[in-house]
Amino acid sequence: ILSCTEGFSSVNFFLFLYRLQACVYFASVFQAMSCGIHYLASVFMAVTPNFICGIPGNVSTVLFHNSSESSIEDIWTLWTSTENYIVVQLENGEIWELNQCSRSKREVKLDLAYEYNGNKSVFSCSDGFLYDDTKWKSTVVTQWDLVCDREWLAKLVQPTFMLGVLIGAVIFGDIADRLGRQRVIWFTSAGQFLFGIAVAFTYDYYSFVIVRFLLAMVSSGYLVVAFVYVTEFVGIKARTWASMHVHAFFAMGIMVVALVGFLVRTWWVYQIFLSIATLPFILCCWMLPETPFWLLSEKRYEDAQKVIDIMARWNKVSTPCKVSELYSVPQDDLVIGRTDDNDTSSRKKHNILDLFCNWHIARRTITVWLIWFTGSLGYYVFSLSSVSLGGNEYLNLFLIGAVELPCYIIACIGMDKLGRRNTLIPFLILSALICVLIMFIPQDFSILIILANMAGKFSIGVAFGLIYLYTAELYPTIVRSLAVGSGSMMCRVGSVVAPFCVYLRSVWIFMPLLLVGIMALLSGILTIMLPETLGKPLTNTLVEATEMGRNGKSCSGKTPPAQSGAALEKIEMFGQETASTEK
């Protein structure tokens, strides 16, 4: 993994676990698992079981079509449609028809039969609802009766979480560029644990949504900054595998949700167990160092040298590199870089407008945002189409997480062998072709349709996973977190739009696939104009980022020597030479 002291290749990535960078890396990606957990927790926590109107008395007999039972619990196994109703006779002789959102009292009490054509009085469900607790003893839906006229509140659980994810990605990405990656990782990690536990103890629906909104912000913030953090700690050769394994741990979080959901059927206990997964990282995250890249970009040369020296001691390197030699910075400047408050106050604060500082960077940003949006849109459209697979829902979710693992391996191999751009283009175009192919498959060929949808999800998953690393490499250190954060924002927009896209099936059954196909094809064509980043050092200034791939005007109108980028390249080369010497 990066730096002055060690450069892992994809081959020996897992062989040097005793190195400092490996410890930092695996600690960081372990916490990414909790992000996958919280993102998908509502799949089981907000499930709506079968339900009917509450009963205004004690039941003596229950009728459901031709079946007669003594309790409603015995009827749930026969329930097949939301249009069904149950006939119950109370101990006082009254006969009621119980629907999901209303109940009717029959005027004639003598004949107990399922079919009835006489007069009935319709009442609202003033006595609450009865829920099928066969699978879940309690969910947020059953806790606060989020059904019938309150059903829209249940449907807002995931969209409001995604809104928090969207806002958190931008806010914490910007804060990480200003205050450092380390502080944001500390704060967001602690926030995930505290807000995750707090969700389980919320007292009403609105406090539940607010706390989950805050949980979404810190979860998104951690995931965005973690990608940047591990990218800046990883050398050129291992950057691909290191970045993609963050996705692998996120997918493992999805599998944890399936496992915990299968074992725990009460929503607030389920939430506590999911949140405890973050506890080990909370206990050690305060030991994580700041990245040398960010310290150097902030001209904190002495702090950067301290981190480099620590890495050298852990990695048993006898002659660590010197920042002053690589940057040609006098020792006095190291102290000034640490203590000069005037210099700090006069340093430019970067914002999202820097992603559009000139034509080349602006075109790059628009293309990258489109890829983020398309990847998220396609991923969720294909995922929502796969719910018709049937079978065990817990196993289905587990497999949905597991299927992402080979996807990322293929992406890693492609990015290392072919390059980032040359891997991204064919898989985006392949996604578009699969969307077209599905349109020509007869609806009777259900197995073939399912396989085609899985192939589409696999191909869009490769592009979706690749874009995180590609974005981090396309932008300089000073705006890298902001670039990844804004890209993640577009990703969240795609995830919010995806359900509405699926609703267009009522207009034309293939409309969602057509939209995804068009977006994937357009993204693939525009990606051709992006520069290749395979084997290139991370840039440190907007000037260097502009010059990567083609020459152009910088944001300041000048093109000074790329001193910082060259120095950082020397740092990475030094790490690779050191590793080769030790081997």
Side-chain angles (χ1 to χ4, degrees):
I1 295 180
L2 170 109
S3 78
C4 316
T5 57
E6 185 69 59
F8 288 156
S9 68
S10 58
V11 177
N12 62 9
F13 179 66
F14 292 105
L15 300 182
F16 298 97
L17 300 182
Y18 58 90
R19 305 298 189 183
L20 172 66
Q21 296 98 313
C23 294
V24 169
Y25 173 78
F26 283 107
S28 302
V29 297
F30 174 80
Q31 182 69 359
M33 184 169 62
S34 69
C35 297
I37 288 173
H38 293 306
Y39 275 46
L40 271 293
S42 64
V43 171
F44 297 128
M45 184 166 54
V47 66
T48 302
N50 294 326
F51 67 94
I52 57 171
C53 253
I55 307 170
N58 297 323
V59 177
S60 61
T61 306
V62 180
L63 290 181
F64 183 73
H65 292 292
N66 297 325
S67 300
S68 176
E69 304 290 346
S70 59
S71 65
I72 294 179
E73 287 73 15
D74 299 326
I75 296 296
W76 292 125
T77 56
L78 306 175
W79 190 275
T80 57
S81 173
T82 57
E83 297 180 357
N84 290 331
Y85 65 92
I86 296 175
V87 178
V88 298
Q89 186 174 36
L90 305 184
E91 292 179 349
N92 60 8
E94 294 180 350
I95 300 176
W96 290 78
E97 292 182 8
L98 305 178
N99 296 292
Q100 284 200 321
C101 298
S102 65
R103 57 186 180 179
S104 305
K105 181 181 178 182
R106 294 180 179 179
E107 299 298 333
V108 178
K109 303 179 182 180
L110 299 179
D111 184 20
L112 178 60
Y114 190 75
E115 300 293 339
Y116 176 76
N117 297 321
N119 295 328
K120 294 182 290 187
S121 301
V122 180
F123 299 89
S124 63
C125 300
S126 57
D127 293 301
F129 300 87
L130 298 176
Y131 297 95
D132 178 9
D133 59 359
T134 305
K135 290 185 177 180
W136 278 86
K137 300 301 180 183
S138 173
T139 70
V140 296
V141 173
T142 63
Q143 180 84 20
W144 296 303
D145 288 336
L146 305 181
V147 293
C148 297
D149 57 340
R150 288 168 57 86
E151 181 182 7
W152 64 278
L153 294 175
K155 293 183 177 180
L156 284 179
V157 169
Q158 189 64 14
T160 52
F161 185 89
M162 285 300 182
L163 180 61
V165 168
L166 186 154
I167 296 175
V170 177
I171 291 178
F172 287 105
D174 187 33
I175 293 176
D177 282 330
R178 296 172 183 267
L179 302 181
R181 287 67 162 120
Q182 181 192 47
R183 295 178 181 177
V184 174
I185 283 180
W186 289 356
F187 178 82
T188 54
S189 299
Q192 283 190 81
F193 177 74
L194 295 176
F195 290 133
I197 296 296
V199 167
F201 295 96
T202 49
Y203 57 89
D204 63 6
Y205 170 81
Y206 299 102
S207 61
F208 169 82
V209 169
I210 292 173
V211 176
R212 267 185 52 90
F213 180 86
L214 297 175
L215 174 62
M217 289 183 62
V218 294
S219 297
S220 174
Y222 180 87
L223 193 60
V224 167
V225 177
F227 270 104
V228 176
Y229 186 76
V230 300
T231 299
E232 293 182 351
F233 254 109
V234 174
I236 294 176
K237 291 183 178 180
R239 194 181 298 156
T240 301
W241 288 84
S243 175
M244 295 302 288
H245 278 87
V246 179
H247 289 285
F249 276 82
F250 185 94
M252 289 173 61
I254 298 176
M255 292 186 278
V256 169
V257 171
L259 179 61
V260 176
F262 176 76
L263 297 175
V264 183
R265 306 300 178 91
T266 302
W267 77 267
W268 60 272
V269 179
Y270 161 85
Q271 176 66 28
I272 291 176
F273 271 92
L274 293 179
S275 301
I276 290 176
T278 66
L279 186 58
F281 183 77
I282 301 299
L283 301 177
C284 66
C285 68
W286 60 274
M287 295 185 293
L288 295 179
E290 185 57 80
T291 68
F293 269 94
W294 184 82
L295 292 172
L296 292 174
S297 70
E298 294 292 303
K299 299 183 180 180
R300 293 170 54 180
Y301 303 117
E302 188 172 273
D303 292 334
Q305 186 65 60
K306 289 179 180 179
V307 175
I308 291 171
D309 292 340
I310 293 174
M311 295 164 68
R313 288 196 299 271
W314 272 66
N315 296 333
K316 299 180 181 180
V317 176
S318 57
T319 56
C321 61
K322 299 295 183 182
V323 173
S324 57
E325 296 175 1
L326 294 174
Y327 273 80
S328 300
V329 178
Q331 290 296 324
D332 291 342
D333 288 348
L334 294 180
V335 179
I336 293 174
R338 178 182 58 148
T339 61
D340 192 350
D341 293 336
N342 293 331
D343 178 69
T344 301
S345 62
S346 63
R347 195 173 301 135
K348 179 182 177 182
K349 298 298 183 181
H350 297 279
N351 54 54
I352 199 169
L353 296 180
D354 290 311
L355 302 181
F356 299 88
C357 63
N358 61 49
W359 165 244
H360 298 296
I361 297 295
R363 184 177 62 186
R364 184 179 305 175
T365 299
I366 293 173
T367 302
V368 167
W369 283 4
L370 182 62
I371 298 171
W372 279 88
F373 177 85
T374 302
S376 180
L377 179 69
Y379 181 87
Y380 285 104
V381 166
F382 281 118
S383 297
L384 292 173
S385 300
S386 67
V387 296
S388 59
L389 293 175
N392 187 288
E393 55 190 347
Y394 305 104
L395 179 61
N396 288 346
L397 182 63
F398 186 88
L399 294 177
I400 285 175
V403 76
E404 297 183 38
L405 302 182
C407 165
Y408 300 140
I409 294 175
I410 295 298
C412 286
I413 296 174
M415 287 192 292
D416 272 348
K417 301 298 182 181
L418 303 177
R420 283 70 160 126
R421 181 184 61 184
N422 295 335
T423 302
L424 186 59
I425 293 172
F427 276 101
L428 283 172
I429 295 178
L430 178 61
S431 301
L433 294 177
I434 291 175
C435 289
V436 175
L437 176 63
I438 294 175
M439 297 181 189
F440 290 95
I441 299 177
Q443 293 299 300
D444 296 335
F445 290 58
S446 57
I447 297 179
L448 189 58
I449 292 176
I450 291 173
L451 293 176
N453 273 272
M454 292 300 99
K457 182 182 178 182
F458 182 91
S459 59
I460 204 71
V462 172
F464 196 22
L466 187 157
I467 192 58
Y468 281 85
L469 173 63
Y470 198 23
T471 302
E473 293 180 337
L474 285 172
Y475 292 90
T477 304
I478 55 176
V479 294
R480 187 170 295 125
S481 284
L482 184 61
V484 176
S486 63
S488 182
M489 177 190 69
M490 297 304 299
C491 164
R492 294 310 99 189
V493 172
S495 65
V496 173
V497 171
F500 298 99
C501 182
V502 175
Y503 295 156
L504 294 176
R505 289 173 61 90
S506 60
V507 178
W508 184 41
I509 189 172
F510 296 123
M511 182 65 74
L513 292 173
L514 178 62
L515 294 177
V516 172
I518 292 175
M519 297 297 292
L521 181 62
L522 179 60
S523 300
I525 294 174
L526 292 178
T527 304
I528 297 174
M529 297 184 290
L530 294 178
E532 181 56 68
T533 60
L534 176 63
K536 296 181 180 179
L538 296 175
T539 57
N540 204 41
T541 67
L542 287 166
V543 173
E544 298 164 18
T546 302
E547 292 174 345
M548 182 173 57
R550 66 167 60 188
N551 293 324
K553 294 182 180 181
S554 69
C555 300
S556 60
K558 300 178 182 180
T559 312
Q563 182 187 31
S564 59
L568 293 174
E569 184 174 4
K570 291 179 183 178
I571 292 176
E572 295 195 46
M573 291 175 61
F574 180 89
Q576 294 163 18
E577 291 171 1
T578 304
S580 300
T581 302
E582 287 185 339
K583 294 174 188 175

